[in-house]
Amino acid sequence: MTNEMFLDYMGIRLDGNKAAGKTISVNWELPDTKEKYLITLENSVLMYKKVNSFSQKSEVSLTLSRESLNNILTKKTTLDNEIQSGKAKLTGDTAKFNEYMKMFDTFTADFNIVTP
C-alpha cells in the first residue's frame, strides 16, 4: 500500500459525525522514504498533500518510518509503543492528536460482498 493509499484509507475510515466541527492539521514525515505530507481535517473531510517543507501552522508533527507504519497497520505494535521505543516522534498538541485518532471507525474486512 502506498502512502497515498494509506491516507485515502484513513479518509474512508473517518467518522463524519465524530469529526463534525473539528479541525486539525498534522505534519507527517517518513524519513526513510524522504516523504512529507500535510494532513488536514476540516468540514468532516480528511485531505492531504505531499509537501517539501512542513507547515508552521500545524498543531501536530508525526515522524515515523514506513517500517513502523507497516508494523502498526499489521497490529504488530501500536503508535504509542513506537513512540516509547524512540522509533516514532510526536510533537505538538498531543491531546488534540489523540482526539483526532478517536474519530476513525474500525470495520472488519471479511464481510460478504454478495449475500444469497
Side-chain angles (χ1 to χ4, degrees):
M1 180 183 298
T2 67
N3 295 327
E4 288 84 4
M5 290 171 73
F6 169 72
L7 291 166
D8 288 339
Y9 174 67
M10 285 186 65
I12 292 167
R13 287 187 46 220
L14 182 68
D15 183 326
N17 292 327
K18 291 178 183 177
K22 308 257 172 47
T23 62
I24 189 171
S25 61
V26 178
N27 290 320
W28 184 39
E29 180 178 14
L30 293 112
D32 53 338
T33 62
K34 297 179 179 43
E35 294 177 280
K36 295 180 182 180
Y37 295 88
L38 173 63
I39 304 166
T40 56
L41 170 66
E42 190 173 356
N43 298 322
S44 298
V45 176
L46 186 75
M47 298 167 285
Y48 66 89
K49 65 180 176 179
K50 201 171 192 176
V51 295
N52 292 324
S53 60
F54 281 150
S55 169
Q56 299 300 322
K57 297 179 182 180
S58 292
E59 292 94 346
V60 179
S61 292
L62 175 63
T63 304
L64 77 161
S65 69
R66 183 59 208 221
E67 180 183 6
S68 289
L69 178 61
N70 289 343
N71 288 336
I72 292 166
L73 291 173
T74 57
K75 299 188 188 237
K76 292 179 182 176
T77 188
T78 64
L79 178 58
D80 287 337
N81 288 344
E82 293 298 283
I83 291 170
Q84 289 174 1
S85 70
K87 294 179 182 177
K89 181 179 176 185
L90 182 66
T91 58
D93 189 343
T94 55
K96 189 159 189 170
F97 183 78
N98 289 334
E99 177 186 6
Y100 162 74
M101 293 304 293
K102 292 177 184 173
M103 295 179 203
F104 295 96
D105 280 333
T106 54
F107 44 84
T108 59
D110 61 346
F111 60 90
N112 291 328
I113 294 174
V114 178
T115 57

